[in-house]
Amino acid sequence: MKRSTITWIVVAALVLIVVMSTVGSYNRLVSSETAVDNKEAQIDTQLQRREDVIPNLVNTVKGYAAHEKEVFQAIADARSKLAGAGTTTEKAAANAELEGALSRLLVVVENYPTLKADAQFTRLMDELSGTENRIAVARQDYNNSVTDFNTRIKKFPTALYASLFGFEKKDLFKAAPGAETVPEVQF
């Protein structure tokens, strides 16, 4: 064989290796980003579930505690913010506000012992508790997926492909500032 033919074969083989590597990296990035989107949708699903349970819970408590209007208003406002949140950061902030309002609702409930014995209230509280657990799991799954994706787009040589194809770092679902402080319950 001629030397030029061998050179062309080597060059073609190298180009093929680079192309296959690029395609493989791109496909892994797409899969990883899709997993992040899926996990974010799971958080949205659980937040929506909680949003659907809250009006029933609030209406049940309202019957017992009609004078606790500011608590109910805070829940309604926080719920509206959560429903209108677009970004992960907005969702996290609205979620923290809603969690605070719900904790104030639980303080109200403590003042009405007969309410705690009501079967409908108990069922709704169990539903809310289960939903809160699902939200926590969904947030953890999302953050794990985001961490995997963010790590992947920073590693060489994938970092080159990530920037070339416009893959950008995703935000973690973080707790709101002050969330580590235990709420004070006073009677």
Side-chain angles (χ1 to χ4, degrees), residues 80-118:
S80 294
K81 286 181 184 175
L82 185 59
T87 67
T88 302
T89 305
E90 290 171 351
K91 288 176 190 174
N95 182 57
E97 188 175 325
L98 183 57
E99 286 173 354
L102 286 173
S103 68
R104 288 190 301 278
L105 176 66
L106 295 178
V107 170
V108 170
V109 168
E110 290 297 322
N111 292 321
Y112 297 91
T114 56
L115 176 59
K116 291 189 283 187
D118 183 88

PDB file of all heavy atoms in Angstrom, residues 80-118:
ATOM      1  N   SER A  80     -50.084  29.668  46.863  1.00  0.00           N
ATOM      2  CA  SER A  80     -50.131  30.388  45.582  1.00  0.00           C
ATOM      3  C   SER A  80     -48.730  30.620  45.034  1.00  0.00           C
ATOM      4  O   SER A  80     -48.495  30.466  43.834  1.00  0.00           O
ATOM      5  CB  SER A  80     -50.829  31.730  45.750  1.00  0.00           C
ATOM      6  OG  SER A  80     -52.177  31.547  46.069  1.00  0.00           O
ATOM      7  N   LYS A  81     -47.793  30.997  45.912  1.00  0.00           N
ATOM      8  CA  LYS A  81     -46.417  31.212  45.476  1.00  0.00           C
ATOM      9  C   LYS A  81     -45.820  29.918  44.933  1.00  0.00           C
ATOM     10  O   LYS A  81     -45.118  29.921  43.928  1.00  0.00           O
ATOM     11  CB  LYS A  81     -45.557  31.741  46.617  1.00  0.00           C
ATOM     12  CG  LYS A  81     -45.818  33.182  46.947  1.00  0.00           C
ATOM     13  CD  LYS A  81     -44.924  33.649  48.076  1.00  0.00           C
ATOM     14  CE  LYS A  81     -45.254  35.064  48.461  1.00  0.00           C
ATOM     15  NZ  LYS A  81     -44.496  35.509  49.634  1.00  0.00           N
ATOM     16  N   LEU A  82     -46.099  28.810  45.621  1.00  0.00           N
ATOM     17  CA  LEU A  82     -45.574  27.525  45.174  1.00  0.00           C
ATOM     18  C   LEU A  82     -46.162  27.152  43.817  1.00  0.00           C
ATOM     19  O   LEU A  82     -45.455  26.674  42.939  1.00  0.00           O
ATOM     20  CB  LEU A  82     -45.869  26.430  46.203  1.00  0.00           C
ATOM     21  CG  LEU A  82     -45.277  25.063  45.907  1.00  0.00           C
ATOM     22  CD1 LEU A  82     -43.760  25.121  45.800  1.00  0.00           C
ATOM     23  CD2 LEU A  82     -45.679  24.074  46.992  1.00  0.00           C
ATOM     24  N   ALA A  83     -47.448  27.389  43.639  1.00  0.00           N
ATOM     25  CA  ALA A  83     -48.095  27.070  42.365  1.00  0.00           C
ATOM     26  C   ALA A  83     -47.522  27.915  41.224  1.00  0.00           C
ATOM     27  O   ALA A  83     -47.435  27.450  40.085  1.00  0.00           O
ATOM     28  CB  ALA A  83     -49.600  27.286  42.468  1.00  0.00           C
ATOM     29  N   GLY A  84     -47.087  29.149  41.528  1.00  0.00           N
ATOM     30  CA  GLY A  84     -46.563  30.033  40.496  1.00  0.00           C
ATOM     31  C   GLY A  84     -45.058  29.980  40.318  1.00  0.00           C
ATOM     32  O   GLY A  84     -44.514  30.660  39.446  1.00  0.00           O
ATOM     33  N   ALA A  85     -44.385  29.188  41.138  1.00  0.00           N
ATOM     34  CA  ALA A  85     -42.920  29.123  41.063  1.00  0.00           C
ATOM     35  C   ALA A  85     -42.483  28.453  39.763  1.00  0.00           C
ATOM     36  O   ALA A  85     -43.058  27.448  39.358  1.00  0.00           O
ATOM     37  CB  ALA A  85     -42.364  28.367  42.264  1.00  0.00           C
ATOM     38  N   GLY A  86     -41.457  29.013  39.145  1.00  0.00           N
ATOM     39  CA  GLY A  86     -40.979  28.461  37.877  1.00  0.00           C
ATOM     40  C   GLY A  86     -39.641  27.753  37.994  1.00  0.00           C
ATOM     41  O   GLY A  86     -39.468  26.656  37.502  1.00  0.00           O
ATOM     42  N   THR A  87     -38.713  28.375  38.671  1.00  0.00           N
ATOM     43  CA  THR A  87     -37.369  27.795  38.768  1.00  0.00           C
ATOM     44  C   THR A  87     -37.258  26.942  40.025  1.00  0.00           C
ATOM     45  O   THR A  87     -38.080  27.045  40.938  1.00  0.00           O
ATOM     46  CB  THR A  87     -36.296  28.896  38.835  1.00  0.00           C
ATOM     47  OG1 THR A  87     -36.438  29.611  40.069  1.00  0.00           O
ATOM     48  CG2 THR A  87     -36.399  29.853  37.661  1.00  0.00           C
ATOM     49  N   THR A  88     -36.221  26.136  40.076  1.00  0.00           N
ATOM     50  CA  THR A  88     -35.973  25.301  41.247  1.00  0.00           C
ATOM     51  C   THR A  88     -35.767  26.172  42.473  1.00  0.00           C
ATOM     52  O   THR A  88     -36.266  25.860  43.554  1.00  0.00           O
ATOM     53  CB  THR A  88     -34.746  24.406  41.012  1.00  0.00           C
ATOM     54  OG1 THR A  88     -34.986  23.601  39.852  1.00  0.00           O
ATOM     55  CG2 THR A  88     -34.478  23.507  42.188  1.00  0.00           C
ATOM     56  N   THR A  89     -35.069  27.282  42.338  1.00  0.00           N
ATOM     57  CA  THR A  89     -34.825  28.189  43.457  1.00  0.00           C
ATOM     58  C   THR A  89     -36.134  28.786  43.963  1.00  0.00           C
ATOM     59  O   THR A  89     -36.370  28.858  45.171  1.00  0.00           O
ATOM     60  CB  THR A  89     -33.850  29.304  43.036  1.00  0.00           C
ATOM     61  OG1 THR A  89     -32.655  28.702  42.530  1.00  0.00           O
ATOM     62  CG2 THR A  89     -33.508  30.222  44.185  1.00  0.00           C
ATOM     63  N   GLU A  90     -37.007  29.206  43.055  1.00  0.00           N
ATOM     64  CA  GLU A  90     -38.310  29.750  43.447  1.00  0.00           C
ATOM     65  C   GLU A  90     -39.151  28.684  44.137  1.00  0.00           C
ATOM     66  O   GLU A  90     -39.840  28.960  45.122  1.00  0.00           O
ATOM     67  CB  GLU A  90     -39.059  30.287  42.225  1.00  0.00           C
ATOM     68  CG  GLU A  90     -38.473  31.546  41.638  1.00  0.00           C
ATOM     69  CD  GLU A  90     -39.107  31.935  40.308  1.00  0.00           C
ATOM     70  OE1 GLU A  90     -39.890  31.140  39.743  1.00  0.00           O
ATOM     71  OE2 GLU A  90     -38.816  33.044  39.826  1.00  0.00           O
ATOM     72  N   LYS A  91     -39.100  27.463  43.609  1.00  0.00           N
ATOM     73  CA  LYS A  91     -39.861  26.364  44.218  1.00  0.00           C
ATOM     74  C   LYS A  91     -39.361  26.082  45.624  1.00  0.00           C
ATOM     75  O   LYS A  91     -40.153  25.851  46.543  1.00  0.00           O
ATOM     76  CB  LYS A  91     -39.750  25.096  43.373  1.00  0.00           C
ATOM     77  CG  LYS A  91     -40.512  25.166  42.078  1.00  0.00           C
ATOM     78  CD  LYS A  91     -40.273  23.922  41.247  1.00  0.00           C
ATOM     79  CE  LYS A  91     -40.827  24.099  39.846  1.00  0.00           C
ATOM     80  NZ  LYS A  91     -40.497  22.975  38.976  1.00  0.00           N
ATOM     81  N   ALA A  92     -38.045  26.085  45.809  1.00  0.00           N
ATOM     82  CA  ALA A  92     -37.476  25.822  47.131  1.00  0.00           C
ATOM     83  C   ALA A  92     -37.891  26.911  48.123  1.00  0.00           C
ATOM     84  O   ALA A  92     -38.247  26.608  49.261  1.00  0.00           O
ATOM     85  CB  ALA A  92     -35.958  25.721  47.044  1.00  0.00           C
ATOM     86  N   ALA A  93     -37.849  28.169  47.706  1.00  0.00           N
ATOM     87  CA  ALA A  93     -38.233  29.274  48.590  1.00  0.00           C
ATOM     88  C   ALA A  93     -39.718  29.206  48.930  1.00  0.00           C
ATOM     89  O   ALA A  93     -40.107  29.359  50.098  1.00  0.00           O
ATOM     90  CB  ALA A  93     -37.895  30.615  47.935  1.00  0.00           C
ATOM     91  N   ALA A  94     -40.558  28.967  47.934  1.00  0.00           N
ATOM     92  CA  ALA A  94     -41.999  28.869  48.176  1.00  0.00           C
ATOM     93  C   ALA A  94     -42.318  27.655  49.039  1.00  0.00           C
ATOM     94  O   ALA A  94     -43.194  27.714  49.913  1.00  0.00           O
ATOM     95  CB  ALA A  94     -42.751  28.783  46.847  1.00  0.00           C
ATOM     96  N   ASN A  95     -41.610  26.570  48.818  1.00  0.00           N
ATOM     97  CA  ASN A  95     -41.805  25.369  49.626  1.00  0.00           C
ATOM     98  C   ASN A  95     -41.461  25.635  51.090  1.00  0.00           C
ATOM     99  O   ASN A  95     -42.176  25.220  51.993  1.00  0.00           O
ATOM    100  CB  ASN A  95     -40.941  24.230  49.081  1.00  0.00           C
ATOM    101  CG  ASN A  95     -41.119  22.954  49.840  1.00  0.00           C
ATOM    102  OD1 ASN A  95     -42.225  22.435  49.959  1.00  0.00           O
ATOM    103  ND2 ASN A  95     -40.040  22.440  50.395  1.00  0.00           N
ATOM    104  N   ALA A  96     -40.373  26.357  51.334  1.00  0.00           N
ATOM    105  CA  ALA A  96     -39.977  26.684  52.704  1.00  0.00           C
ATOM    106  C   ALA A  96     -41.037  27.560  53.373  1.00  0.00           C
ATOM    107  O   ALA A  96     -41.362  27.362  54.549  1.00  0.00           O
ATOM    108  CB  ALA A  96     -38.623  27.383  52.700  1.00  0.00           C
ATOM    109  N   GLU A  97     -41.582  28.500  52.634  1.00  0.00           N
ATOM    110  CA  GLU A  97     -42.628  29.365  53.180  1.00  0.00           C
ATOM    111  C   GLU A  97     -43.876  28.552  53.523  1.00  0.00           C
ATOM    112  O   GLU A  97     -44.494  28.741  54.575  1.00  0.00           O
ATOM    113  CB  GLU A  97     -42.972  30.469  52.176  1.00  0.00           C
ATOM    114  CG  GLU A  97     -43.897  31.525  52.734  1.00  0.00           C
ATOM    115  CD  GLU A  97     -44.121  32.676  51.762  1.00  0.00           C
ATOM    116  OE1 GLU A  97     -43.189  33.039  51.029  1.00  0.00           O
ATOM    117  OE2 GLU A  97     -45.233  33.217  51.765  1.00  0.00           O
ATOM    118  N   LEU A  98     -44.223  27.626  52.644  1.00  0.00           N
ATOM    119  CA  LEU A  98     -45.386  26.778  52.891  1.00  0.00           C
ATOM    120  C   LEU A  98     -45.158  25.872  54.092  1.00  0.00           C
ATOM    121  O   LEU A  98     -46.052  25.679  54.916  1.00  0.00           O
ATOM    122  CB  LEU A  98     -45.719  25.939  51.650  1.00  0.00           C
ATOM    123  CG  LEU A  98     -46.972  25.064  51.750  1.00  0.00           C
ATOM    124  CD1 LEU A  98     -48.206  25.901  52.081  1.00  0.00           C
ATOM    125  CD2 LEU A  98     -47.181  24.321  50.446  1.00  0.00           C
ATOM    126  N   GLU A  99     -43.956  25.334  54.224  1.00  0.00           N
ATOM    127  CA  GLU A  99     -43.650  24.493  55.385  1.00  0.00           C
ATOM    128  C   GLU A  99     -43.782  25.283  56.678  1.00  0.00           C
ATOM    129  O   GLU A  99     -44.301  24.771  57.676  1.00  0.00           O
ATOM    130  CB  GLU A  99     -42.248  23.894  55.256  1.00  0.00           C
ATOM    131  CG  GLU A  99     -42.175  22.783  54.240  1.00  0.00           C
ATOM    132  CD  GLU A  99     -40.756  22.286  53.979  1.00  0.00           C
ATOM    133  OE1 GLU A  99     -39.791  22.878  54.506  1.00  0.00           O
ATOM    134  OE2 GLU A  99     -40.625  21.301  53.233  1.00  0.00           O
ATOM    135  N   GLY A 100     -43.346  26.538  56.680  1.00  0.00           N
ATOM    136  CA  GLY A 100     -43.491  27.386  57.865  1.00  0.00           C
ATOM    137  C   GLY A 100     -44.956  27.639  58.198  1.00  0.00           C
ATOM    138  O   GLY A 100     -45.359  27.596  59.372  1.00  0.00           O
ATOM    139  N   ALA A 101     -45.754  27.907  57.180  1.00  0.00           N
ATOM    140  CA  ALA A 101     -47.186  28.145  57.399  1.00  0.00           C
ATOM    141  C   ALA A 101     -47.865  26.886  57.921  1.00  0.00           C
ATOM    142  O   ALA A 101     -48.721  26.957  58.810  1.00  0.00           O
ATOM    143  CB  ALA A 101     -47.839  28.617  56.100  1.00  0.00           C
ATOM    144  N   LEU A 102     -47.475  25.742  57.388  1.00  0.00           N
ATOM    145  CA  LEU A 102     -48.059  24.481  57.866  1.00  0.00           C
ATOM    146  C   LEU A 102     -47.670  24.210  59.315  1.00  0.00           C
ATOM    147  O   LEU A 102     -48.477  23.692  60.092  1.00  0.00           O
ATOM    148  CB  LEU A 102     -47.629  23.318  56.970  1.00  0.00           C
ATOM    149  CG  LEU A 102     -48.291  23.258  55.600  1.00  0.00           C
ATOM    150  CD1 LEU A 102     -47.662  22.162  54.760  1.00  0.00           C
ATOM    151  CD2 LEU A 102     -49.786  23.055  55.719  1.00  0.00           C
ATOM    152  N   SER A 103     -46.447  24.556  59.694  1.00  0.00           N
ATOM    153  CA  SER A 103     -46.051  24.342  61.097  1.00  0.00           C
ATOM    154  C   SER A 103     -46.869  25.239  62.018  1.00  0.00           C
ATOM    155  O   SER A 103     -47.224  24.835  63.121  1.00  0.00           O
ATOM    156  CB  SER A 103     -44.551  24.556  61.282  1.00  0.00           C
ATOM    157  OG  SER A 103     -44.208  25.896  61.098  1.00  0.00           O
ATOM    158  N   ARG A 104     -47.210  26.462  61.569  1.00  0.00           N
ATOM    159  CA  ARG A 104     -48.081  27.328  62.375  1.00  0.00           C
ATOM    160  C   ARG A 104     -49.485  26.738  62.465  1.00  0.00           C
ATOM    161  O   ARG A 104     -50.141  26.834  63.508  1.00  0.00           O
ATOM    162  CB  ARG A 104     -48.106  28.745  61.799  1.00  0.00           C
ATOM    163  CG  ARG A 104     -46.794  29.488  62.026  1.00  0.00           C
ATOM    164  CD  ARG A 104     -46.868  30.961  61.685  1.00  0.00           C
ATOM    165  NE  ARG A 104     -47.241  31.263  60.318  1.00  0.00           N
ATOM    166  CZ  ARG A 104     -46.413  31.268  59.287  1.00  0.00           C
ATOM    167  NH1 ARG A 104     -45.152  30.949  59.451  1.00  0.00           N
ATOM    168  NH2 ARG A 104     -46.847  31.576  58.082  1.00  0.00           N
ATOM    169  N   LEU A 105     -49.941  26.091  61.394  1.00  0.00           N
ATOM    170  CA  LEU A 105     -51.241  25.430  61.423  1.00  0.00           C
ATOM    171  C   LEU A 105     -51.241  24.306  62.463  1.00  0.00           C
ATOM    172  O   LEU A 105     -52.209  24.124  63.193  1.00  0.00           O
ATOM    173  CB  LEU A 105     -51.590  24.860  60.037  1.00  0.00           C
ATOM    174  CG  LEU A 105     -52.895  24.066  59.961  1.00  0.00           C
ATOM    175  CD1 LEU A 105     -54.088  24.982  60.205  1.00  0.00           C
ATOM    176  CD2 LEU A 105     -53.016  23.381  58.615  1.00  0.00           C
ATOM    177  N   LEU A 106     -50.149  23.579  62.551  1.00  0.00           N
ATOM    178  CA  LEU A 106     -50.066  22.492  63.529  1.00  0.00           C
ATOM    179  C   LEU A 106     -50.097  23.025  64.957  1.00  0.00           C
ATOM    180  O   LEU A 106     -50.621  22.363  65.858  1.00  0.00           O
ATOM    181  CB  LEU A 106     -48.820  21.644  63.274  1.00  0.00           C
ATOM    182  CG  LEU A 106     -48.826  20.897  61.936  1.00  0.00           C
ATOM    183  CD1 LEU A 106     -47.538  20.124  61.753  1.00  0.00           C
ATOM    184  CD2 LEU A 106     -50.031  19.996  61.811  1.00  0.00           C
ATOM    185  N   VAL A 107     -49.560  24.221  65.166  1.00  0.00           N
ATOM    186  CA  VAL A 107     -49.658  24.850  66.485  1.00  0.00           C
ATOM    187  C   VAL A 107     -51.123  25.142  66.799  1.00  0.00           C
ATOM    188  O   VAL A 107     -51.588  24.921  67.919  1.00  0.00           O
ATOM    189  CB  VAL A 107     -48.799  26.133  66.554  1.00  0.00           C
ATOM    190  CG1 VAL A 107     -49.079  26.912  67.826  1.00  0.00           C
ATOM    191  CG2 VAL A 107     -47.328  25.782  66.444  1.00  0.00           C
ATOM    192  N   VAL A 108     -51.867  25.631  65.807  1.00  0.00           N
ATOM    193  CA  VAL A 108     -53.300  25.885  65.994  1.00  0.00           C
ATOM    194  C   VAL A 108     -54.011  24.585  66.359  1.00  0.00           C
ATOM    195  O   VAL A 108     -54.844  24.546  67.273  1.00  0.00           O
ATOM    196  CB  VAL A 108     -53.921  26.498  64.711  1.00  0.00           C
ATOM    197  CG1 VAL A 108     -55.437  26.530  64.798  1.00  0.00           C
ATOM    198  CG2 VAL A 108     -53.376  27.894  64.479  1.00  0.00           C
ATOM    199  N   VAL A 109     -53.668  23.524  65.674  1.00  0.00           N
ATOM    200  CA  VAL A 109     -54.298  22.232  65.917  1.00  0.00           C
ATOM    201  C   VAL A 109     -54.087  21.778  67.359  1.00  0.00           C
ATOM    202  O   VAL A 109     -54.978  21.210  67.987  1.00  0.00           O
ATOM    203  CB  VAL A 109     -53.751  21.176  64.917  1.00  0.00           C
ATOM    204  CG1 VAL A 109     -54.159  19.776  65.316  1.00  0.00           C
ATOM    205  CG2 VAL A 109     -54.230  21.509  63.517  1.00  0.00           C
ATOM    206  N   GLU A 110     -52.901  22.045  67.901  1.00  0.00           N
ATOM    207  CA  GLU A 110     -52.609  21.659  69.285  1.00  0.00           C
ATOM    208  C   GLU A 110     -53.576  22.311  70.271  1.00  0.00           C
ATOM    209  O   GLU A 110     -53.827  21.769  71.342  1.00  0.00           O
ATOM    210  CB  GLU A 110     -51.166  22.022  69.649  1.00  0.00           C
ATOM    211  CG  GLU A 110     -50.123  21.184  68.959  1.00  0.00           C
ATOM    212  CD  GLU A 110     -50.198  19.712  69.320  1.00  0.00           C
ATOM    213  OE1 GLU A 110     -50.466  19.377  70.480  1.00  0.00           O
ATOM    214  OE2 GLU A 110     -49.995  18.886  68.410  1.00  0.00           O
ATOM    215  N   ASN A 111     -54.111  23.465  69.905  1.00  0.00           N
ATOM    216  CA  ASN A 111     -55.039  24.174  70.785  1.00  0.00           C
ATOM    217  C   ASN A 111     -56.467  23.616  70.723  1.00  0.00           C
ATOM    218  O   ASN A 111     -57.326  24.079  71.451  1.00  0.00           O
ATOM    219  CB  ASN A 111     -55.061  25.669  70.446  1.00  0.00           C
ATOM    220  CG  ASN A 111     -53.753  26.335  70.783  1.00  0.00           C
ATOM    221  OD1 ASN A 111     -53.134  26.026  71.799  1.00  0.00           O
ATOM    222  ND2 ASN A 111     -53.311  27.250  69.931  1.00  0.00           N
ATOM    223  N   TYR A 112     -56.704  22.649  69.838  1.00  0.00           N
ATOM    224  CA  TYR A 112     -58.040  22.081  69.670  1.00  0.00           C
ATOM    225  C   TYR A 112     -57.966  20.564  69.775  1.00  0.00           C
ATOM    226  O   TYR A 112     -57.944  19.853  68.761  1.00  0.00           O
ATOM    227  CB  TYR A 112     -58.638  22.507  68.319  1.00  0.00           C
ATOM    228  CG  TYR A 112     -58.822  24.003  68.235  1.00  0.00           C
ATOM    229  CD1 TYR A 112     -57.820  24.819  67.732  1.00  0.00           C
ATOM    230  CD2 TYR A 112     -59.987  24.602  68.712  1.00  0.00           C
ATOM    231  CE1 TYR A 112     -57.968  26.194  67.695  1.00  0.00           C
ATOM    232  CE2 TYR A 112     -60.147  25.978  68.668  1.00  0.00           C
ATOM    233  CZ  TYR A 112     -59.130  26.764  68.167  1.00  0.00           C
ATOM    234  OH  TYR A 112     -59.290  28.130  68.137  1.00  0.00           O
ATOM    235  N   PRO A 113     -57.947  20.032  71.002  1.00  0.00           N
ATOM    236  CA  PRO A 113     -57.775  18.589  71.198  1.00  0.00           C
ATOM    237  C   PRO A 113     -58.858  17.743  70.514  1.00  0.00           C
ATOM    238  O   PRO A 113     -58.569  16.662  70.032  1.00  0.00           O
ATOM    239  CB  PRO A 113     -57.827  18.404  72.709  1.00  0.00           C
ATOM    240  CG  PRO A 113     -57.644  19.752  73.294  1.00  0.00           C
ATOM    241  CD  PRO A 113     -58.018  20.754  72.249  1.00  0.00           C
ATOM    242  N   THR A 114     -60.071  18.248  70.423  1.00  0.00           N
ATOM    243  CA  THR A 114     -61.125  17.456  69.774  1.00  0.00           C
ATOM    244  C   THR A 114     -60.880  17.323  68.283  1.00  0.00           C
ATOM    245  O   THR A 114     -61.287  16.340  67.667  1.00  0.00           O
ATOM    246  CB  THR A 114     -62.513  18.081  70.005  1.00  0.00           C
ATOM    247  OG1 THR A 114     -62.492  19.433  69.555  1.00  0.00           O
ATOM    248  CG2 THR A 114     -62.917  18.017  71.463  1.00  0.00           C
ATOM    249  N   LEU A 115     -60.205  18.303  67.706  1.00  0.00           N
ATOM    250  CA  LEU A 115     -59.880  18.235  66.286  1.00  0.00           C
ATOM    251  C   LEU A 115     -58.943  17.071  66.005  1.00  0.00           C
ATOM    252  O   LEU A 115     -59.096  16.363  65.012  1.00  0.00           O
ATOM    253  CB  LEU A 115     -59.230  19.555  65.830  1.00  0.00           C
ATOM    254  CG  LEU A 115     -58.733  19.623  64.390  1.00  0.00           C
ATOM    255  CD1 LEU A 115     -59.874  19.372  63.416  1.00  0.00           C
ATOM    256  CD2 LEU A 115     -58.089  20.953  64.118  1.00  0.00           C
ATOM    257  N   LYS A 116     -57.977  16.858  66.888  1.00  0.00           N
ATOM    258  CA  LYS A 116     -57.023  15.764  66.687  1.00  0.00           C
ATOM    259  C   LYS A 116     -57.707  14.410  66.703  1.00  0.00           C
ATOM    260  O   LYS A 116     -57.196  13.449  66.146  1.00  0.00           O
ATOM    261  CB  LYS A 116     -55.922  15.822  67.741  1.00  0.00           C
ATOM    262  CG  LYS A 116     -55.006  17.023  67.550  1.00  0.00           C
ATOM    263  CD  LYS A 116     -53.805  16.976  68.436  1.00  0.00           C
ATOM    264  CE  LYS A 116     -54.209  17.374  69.835  1.00  0.00           C
ATOM    265  NZ  LYS A 116     -53.067  17.506  70.734  1.00  0.00           N
ATOM    266  N   ALA A 117     -58.865  14.315  67.350  1.00  0.00           N
ATOM    267  CA  ALA A 117     -59.591  13.043  67.409  1.00  0.00           C
ATOM    268  C   ALA A 117     -60.511  12.851  66.206  1.00  0.00           C
ATOM    269  O   ALA A 117     -61.011  11.749  65.981  1.00  0.00           O
ATOM    270  CB  ALA A 117     -60.410  12.982  68.700  1.00  0.00           C
ATOM    271  N   ASP A 118     -60.732  13.890  65.418  1.00  0.00           N
ATOM    272  CA  ASP A 118     -61.621  13.810  64.263  1.00  0.00           C
ATOM    273  C   ASP A 118     -61.008  12.902  63.195  1.00  0.00           C
ATOM    274  O   ASP A 118     -59.852  13.070  62.810  1.00  0.00           O
ATOM    275  CB  ASP A 118     -61.841  15.225  63.702  1.00  0.00           C
ATOM    276  CG  ASP A 118     -62.805  15.239  62.546  1.00  0.00           C
ATOM    277  OD1 ASP A 118     -64.013  15.355  62.785  1.00  0.00           O
ATOM    278  OD2 ASP A 118     -62.322  15.127  61.404  1.00  0.00           O
TER     279      ASP A 118
END
